[in-house]
Amino acid sequence: MRGRRGDRMTINIQEHMAINVCPGPIRPIRQISDYFPRRALGPEGGGRDLREAPARLAPLALAPPAALLGATTPEDGAEVDSYDSDDTTALGMLEFDLLYDQASCTLHCSILRAKGLKPMDFNGLADPYVKLHLLPGACKANKLKTKTQRNTLNPVWNEDLTYSGITDDDITHKVLRISVCDEDKLSHNEFIGEIRVPLRRLKPSQKKHFNICLERQVPLASPSSMSAALRGISCYLKELEQAEQGPGLLEERGRILLSLSYNSRRRGLLVGIVRCAHLAAMDVNGYSDPYVKTYLRPDVDKKSKHKTCVKKKTLNPEFNEDFFYEMELSALATKTLEVTVWDYDIGKSNDFIGGVSLGPGARGEARKHWSDCLQQPDAALERWHTLTSELPPAAGALPSA
């Protein structure tokens, strides 16, 4: 394009963008399909590699797909993970062992390690810990927790957590919920994922190993952080869950280990208060100051009350105290032993934690324990019993120590 001297030359935008933007020939970008041979049948029936043209190109500085994904190749001599990064495994995997000891009524949970957890912090890492609950009846009383591992997505705990007072009925009906969370000191802890294991999958005295992907089952928010509509839905879901579990469901408040023995030589019932486990926390510090009271009903003379000492700041107290009721064996057939656990408070009424009644009118394990005691004199029978929120009518008038 030419013009007269002194005239300003004008260049359109197409010509302007074409100036000095092509320093040399443009090489095609290598596709991922170039890494895999594709053959077609030639005229002679032989195979022809369709990647011949791209193969003539200069090699690009691209890593193989395995290195791009951060996986370890077999040439490195390391173990290769077999799971895919889908929506489930993106949360990570948890490895643990479970063992139900039927003789000691304990459930041993060995939390080993986790791998590939979801990053939760700004540095691309997390501060994970594991907590356990037994369902139904999840509360602070039956929560167990591991230590927190700092700044890692592949934590190793190797911690053993134990539930005491686990009966065969619990193994049949309960589910162990294992949650992995990220600890945050500046705000609330964040939920990463969870696993739910029905205890009926366990066999007595046989350790079972698990290596399972975490699932996205975020628990409902606390009532204080929910709107009125969500609180209503939450209450409805809780009522629906209780209706499905059966009518007359009572809140569990912990477990108590009792020993019963009728002494034929002394002609009386020996009641042993051995220990309690996973009691409900009644104080603001997250603990209780528990003690146990026993009554043999009906108590006309009001002389059957016995009380243990107070154990300070614990949810798993050990008492090892024995009480003796002088009575004929035939008279015990119409009696009921009431056992209640209380939280001792200074300057105000003591809080009721839970209770259980053993006698001919009881149900399940409580009734069986009482009948076995009467049928087997001079034999010390130890059984775990569940403490419920139901307060015996006679004990309601005696809240003080």
Side-chain angles (χ1 to χ4, degrees):
M1 181 174 57
R2 302 183 61 181
R4 291 180 299 177
R5 181 176 297 181
D7 293 344
R8 186 176 181 180
M9 299 181 61
T10 59
I11 303 175
N12 58 28
I13 188 65
Q14 288 82 1
E15 294 177 338
H16 174 75
M17 296 301 295
I19 296 175
N20 293 332
V21 296
C22 296
I26 300 176
R27 292 183 298 174
I29 299 177
R30 199 168 189 178
Q31 304 296 322
I32 191 172
S33 58
D34 296 334
Y35 292 98
F36 303 95
R38 293 175 295 171
R39 297 183 178 275
L41 294 178
E44 295 81 6
R48 180 173 58 89
D49 194 351
L50 299 181
R51 296 190 306 146
E52 293 178 357
R56 291 193 296 268
L57 298 176
L60 300 179
L62 292 178
L68 292 176
L69 297 176
T72 305
T73 59
E75 290 77 13
D76 296 334
E79 182 180 358
V80 180
D81 295 333
S82 60
Y83 65 88
D84 300 324
S85 294
D86 53 14
D87 291 340
T88 300
T89 56
L91 301 177
M93 299 186 69
L94 182 65
E95 187 175 355
F96 59 96
D97 294 332
L98 296 180
L99 172 63
Y100 170 53
D101 191 344
Q102 192 176 27
S104 60
C105 297
T106 54
L107 176 63
H108 300 277
C109 310
S110 300
I111 308 300
L112 303 179
R113 63 185 63 84
K115 180 181 288 187
L117 293 181
K118 178 183 177 181
M120 304 299 292
D121 298 335
F122 291 108
N123 59 1
L125 301 174
D127 302 320
Y129 67 92
V130 178
K131 60 180 181 179
L132 310 180
H133 289 96
L134 281 177
L135 305 175
C139 59
K140 293 183 179 180
N142 62 25
K143 182 182 78 171
L144 299 180
K145 179 183 173 183
T146 67
K147 297 180 181 179
T148 302
Q149 301 296 325
R150 301 291 178 184
N151 295 325
T152 178
L153 299 180
N154 302 285
V156 178
W157 289 283
N158 289 326
E159 293 189 36
D160 294 328
L161 306 176
T162 303
Y163 279 105
S164 300
I166 302 298
T167 62
D168 292 339
D169 184 69
D170 295 327
I171 296 297
T172 305
H173 298 95
K174 286 190 176 293
V175 175
L176 179 65
R177 176 189 176 192
I178 307 177
S179 305
V180 181
C181 300
D182 171 62
E183 184 179 284
D184 196 337
K185 294 183 177 181
L186 301 179
S187 62
H188 64 280
N189 298 336
E190 295 180 297
F191 176 84
I192 298 178
E194 71 173 29
I195 297 170
R196 299 196 181 194
V197 181
L199 296 185
R200 62 177 177 269
R201 297 177 57 184
L202 305 180
K203 296 181 179 180
S205 303
Q206 293 186 14
K207 180 182 292 187
K208 189 172 180 63
H209 183 74
F210 295 87
N211 191 9
I212 310 179
C213 301
L214 297 175
E215 300 177 354
R216 296 180 186 273
Q217 294 183 359
V218 182
L220 290 175
S222 60
S224 59
S225 61
M226 292 189 297
S227 63
L230 290 179
R231 283 196 296 269
I233 295 175
S234 176
C235 294
Y236 168 75
L237 293 177
K238 290 181 180 179
E239 292 178 359
L240 181 61
E241 180 181 3
Q242 294 180 358
E244 292 177 351
Q245 294 168 358
L249 183 67
L250 298 174
E251 180 186 357
E252 294 185 9
R253 297 294 188 85
R255 304 293 175 91
I256 186 170
L257 181 59
L258 300 177
S259 174
L260 296 182
S261 175
Y262 182 81
N263 194 317
S264 58
R265 184 178 59 86
R266 298 174 59 186
R267 296 184 179 276
L269 176 67
L270 184 63
V271 179
I273 310 297
V274 183
R275 56 174 297 197
C276 294
H278 316 300
L279 294 179
M282 307 302 291
D283 297 335
V284 294
N285 59 4
Y287 293 96
S288 294
D289 302 321
Y291 68 93
V292 181
K293 292 192 297 184
T294 64
Y295 291 89
L296 196 59
R297 309 287 187 185
D299 184 18
V300 180
D301 299 331
K302 297 183 180 181
K303 296 181 180 180
S304 67
K305 173 185 173 182
H306 289 285
K307 185 184 70 170
T308 67
C309 61
V310 178
K311 299 295 182 178
K312 294 290 186 179
K313 198 178 179 181
T314 178
L315 300 179
N316 300 279
E318 293 189 9
F319 298 99
N320 294 317
E321 298 187 31
D322 297 329
F323 304 132
F324 184 76
Y325 293 98
E326 185 176 356
M327 188 170 297
E328 295 292 335
L329 180 61
S330 58
L332 285 176
T334 59
K335 296 290 186 177
T336 298
L337 178 66
E338 292 181 355
V339 182
T340 55
V341 183
W342 299 79
D343 171 55
Y344 178 75
D345 290 323
I346 300 177
K348 60 179 182 179
S349 299
N350 299 326
D351 298 321
F352 174 72
I353 297 179
V356 61
S357 297
L358 293 80
R363 296 180 180 178
E365 189 64 27
R367 181 173 182 174
K368 188 176 185 300
H369 193 187
W370 185 258
S371 61
D372 290 346
C373 174
L374 301 184
Q375 295 173 6
Q376 304 175 33
D378 300 316
L381 304 176
E382 283 190 359
R383 305 279 176 81
W384 282 95
H385 297 279
T386 301
L387 299 171
T388 64
S389 56
E390 183 180 26
L391 181 66
L398 300 168
S400 61

